[in-house]
Structure formats: structure tokens, C-alpha cells
């Protein structure tokens, strides 16, 4: 039997990148997976990869859609809040709309999802919430990630607070802080920079002490551990997985 056998897991942003790798890792570990994303085509191709994955379109910025989804999802043992949006720029390059959009996708989404899922977890006496933060947060000041880092620091506060409030009632809540991981959104950001693509990739890999970017599967392995009962003594912790970038 697998490390997540018998568990029901809900994931956001499971269509691509880290969320997709994690949905597959959860399913391979024996979980029943409800994978959500804003992109229905990406979900269809994910569902085709494993019979334990069912999918539903969910925009995490829509609180009514979150309430409706959780209301019909049945029991949820594991929640992986993976959706996130990277705004690039200093404070001077961040307008109010970008600031608000960053908080809406990266933080408000977790407020609504945790709040919707927690009562069921408490009723059943347990659950594991895993929230996606980043090294670019309260851990490390990273240039041109002003709004993003503010939101990911908020994720850390939200995570530790939930962990403290429900530690005696069986619900664990932990955060993951990756360094730079090669995913479709990073590829888009490199393309958006324009110019010399090879130099753009070098600028991302040069800041990595290991000389390479992370792989989505290397983050999924940590999410799987935190979701599973192997991590039953672990809550309120902030897990850095960054190839030594912040060391
Ligand atoms: P990705 O671009 O590979 O995948 C993002 C997915 O999110 C896509 O499938 C997209 O359709 C979906 N999405 C976008 N807006 C959405 C919305 N409103 N509602 C639901 N889904 C939506 O992303 P990734 O690089 O794997 O990043 C996943 C998470 O990991 C994010 O929270 C990101 O901030 C965090 N993270 C990534 C890195 C990195 O280097 N890639 C580093 C640290 C943290």
C-alpha cells in the first residue's frame, strides 16, 4: 500500500509545473486526487495520466467557486495550495492592480481554501495542509520580486498561524519554499524577457550553487512527505528546497 493510500487530496494549480508533478506523485502514492486548475485542457491531459486523478476547473480567485467545490468534494484529508502568480519588479514598478492581483491569487486563495476545508478535517480528527511559499519571501530578499515576496511571506504567517490554532486537533499545516524550479511559468517568464534566451536562462542558473534549476518532481517529493503520515510530528514548519540558494 502507498504512502497516501486511503487519503483524499485536493490540489490547486495542478495543470502544470509543481502542482502537476505533485498530483501525479500523490496518485502514485495511492491517494484519490481531485486536481483543479484554471486551465481545463491541462487538467484533461493530467487526468489521462492516472486513473486515481479526477479534475475540476477552479479559478482560485473565485471564493464562490471554492465554496461550491469544497461543498461537493466529500472528505478531504490533504489540501495542497499550489496556485501562485509571479509579478516581476521593484516597488516602483508595482502598480496597485498588480499588488492586489498578487495577493488575490497567492494569499486570498489560501484563506478561502483553508477556511472551506478545515471544518471537515476537524470533524474527522485530522488532515494535512501544504501551502506553496517560496524562498523569495521572508527568507530571502530577491531583486525584482517585491509583490511576490510580500505575498509569499504572508503565506508563511498564514501557515504558522493555522498550525498553532489546530495543532491539538489533528490538523497539520506546513509551507514549502522552493528556489528556482524549471516549470512552464518560468519558461514563459524567460520568453517574456525577450533578447538572448540563452543568457536569460544563464541568469537563472548562475544564481544556483548547484549550477542547475530544480525539477518539479523534487518539490513534489517534499509535498508528498508533508501530506503523508510520515510527517505526523511536523507542523508549522517552513521547508526550504532550493538547491542551496539561500544557504
Ligand atoms: P506553472 O506555471 O508551471 O503552473 C501554474 C499553474 O497554475 C498553471 O497550470 C495555471 O493554469 C494555473 N493557474 C494560474 N492561475 C490560476 C488561477 N487563478 N486559479 C487556478 N489555477 C491557476 O507554475 P509553477 O512554477 O509550478 O508554480 C507553482 C507554485 O510554486 C506557485 O505558487 C509559485 O509561486 C511557486 N513557486 C515556483 C517556483 C519556480 O521557480 N517555478 C519557485 C518558488 C515557488
Amino acid at each position: 500500500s502507498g504512502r497516501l493510500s486511503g487519503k483524499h487530496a485536493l490540489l490547486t494549480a495542478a495543470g502544470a509545473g509543481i502542482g502537476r508533478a505533485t498530483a501525479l506523485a500523490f496518485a502514485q502514492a495511492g491517494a484519490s486526487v481531485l486536481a483543479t486548475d484554471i486551465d481545463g485542457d491541462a487538467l484533461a491531459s493530467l487526468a489521462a495520466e492516472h486513473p486515481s486523478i479526477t479534475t475540476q476547473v477552479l479559478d482560485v480567485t473565485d471564493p464562490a467557486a471554492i465554496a461550491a467545490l469544497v461543498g461537493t468534494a466529500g472528505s478531504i484529508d490533504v489540501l495542497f495550495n499550489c496556485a501562485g502568480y509571479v509579478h516581476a519588479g521593484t516597488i516602483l514598478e508595482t502598480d496597485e492592480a498588480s499588488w492586489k492581483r498578487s495577493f488575490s491569487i497567492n494569499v486570498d486563495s489560501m484563506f478561502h481554501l483553508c477556511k472551506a476545508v478545515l471544518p471537515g478535517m476537524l470533524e474527522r480528527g485530522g488532515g494535512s495542509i501544504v501551502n506553496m511559499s517560496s524562498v523569495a519571501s521572508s527568507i530571502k530578499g530577491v531583486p525584482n520580486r517585491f509583490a511576490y515576496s510580500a505575498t509569499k511571506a504572508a503565506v508563511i504567517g498564514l501557515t504558522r498561524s493555522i498550525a498553532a490554532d489546530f495543532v491539538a486537533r489533528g490538523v497539520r499545516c506546513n509551507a514549502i519554499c522552493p528556489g528556482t524550479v524549471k516549470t512552464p511559468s518560468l519558461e514563459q517568464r524567460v520568453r517574456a524577457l525577450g533578447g538572448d534566451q540563452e543568457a536569460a536562462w544563464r541568469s537563472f542558473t548562475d544564481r544556483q550553487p548547484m549550477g542547475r534549476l530544480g525539477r518539479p518532481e523534487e518539490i513534489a517529493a517534499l509535498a508528498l512527505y508533508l501530506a503523508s503520515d510520515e510527517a505526523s510530528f511536523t507542523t508549522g514548519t517552513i521547508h526550504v528546497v532550493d538547491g542551496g540558494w539561500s544557504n
Side-chain angles (χ1 to χ4, degrees):
S1 67
R3 297 161 72 191
L4 291 183
S5 61
K7 294 202 192 290
H8 297 264
L10 169 63
L11 296 86
T12 66
I18 296 166
R20 187 184 184 99
T22 306
L24 287 166
F26 282 7
Q28 282 153 12
S32 304
V33 173
L34 176 51
T36 69
D37 197 285
I38 202 169
D39 180 343
D41 293 338
L43 288 175
S45 77
L46 172 64
E49 287 196 49
H50 201 287
S52 306
I53 298 178
T54 57
T55 63
Q56 208 166 312
V57 170
L58 178 70
D59 176 349
V60 296
T61 65
D62 182 347
I66 290 171
L69 179 118
V70 173
T72 57
S75 63
I76 295 165
D77 305 296
V78 173
L79 168 63
F80 182 34
N81 280 313
C82 186
Y85 158 70
V86 182
H87 178 265
T90 70
I91 186 172
L92 300 178
E93 291 143 359
T94 304
D95 60 19
E96 195 176 353
S98 306
W99 172 259
K100 289 201 163 141
R101 180 171 151 75
S102 299
F103 272 87
S104 171
I105 298 178
N106 298 1
V107 186
D108 299 357
S109 61
M110 296 197 191
F111 166 68
H112 293 294
L113 273 148
C114 292
K115 193 162 168 147
V117 163
L118 261 164
M121 287 182 169
L122 293 171
E123 217 168 87
R124 286 186 307 282
S128 174
I129 299 173
V130 181
N131 292 329
M132 181 55 84
S133 179
S134 171
V135 162
S137 61
S138 50
I139 294 176
K140 184 174 165 71
V142 176
N144 297 311
R145 291 290 180 273
F146 170 71
Y148 182 73
S149 301
T151 64
K152 293 302 191 181
V155 168
I156 289 176
L158 171 157
T159 298
R160 300 187 86 142
S161 179
I162 290 173
D165 283 334
F166 300 102
V167 63
R169 298 174 68 187
V171 175
R172 298 182 296 105
C173 186
N174 294 285
I176 295 181
C177 299
T180 311
V181 182
K182 194 165 184 193
T183 61
S185 70
L186 182 64
E187 285 161 22
Q188 270 164 31
R189 274 179 276 139
V190 167
R191 271 198 302 276
L193 288 172
D196 184 347
Q197 297 287 288
E198 224 172 281
W201 278 113
R202 254 196 325 276
S203 76
F204 279 105
T205 49
D206 279 354
R207 66 185 194 183
Q208 296 296 118
M210 274 190 196
R212 69 168 177 87
L213 301 179
R215 294 188 297 273
E217 293 73 22
E218 292 175 307
I219 315 304
L222 176 57
L224 170 57
Y225 166 71
L226 291 171
S228 79
D229 292 338
E230 291 165 22
S232 50
F233 203 50
T234 296
T235 192
T237 64
I238 310 307
H239 293 257
V240 173
V241 49
D242 71 347
W245 185 32
S246 63
N247 180 28

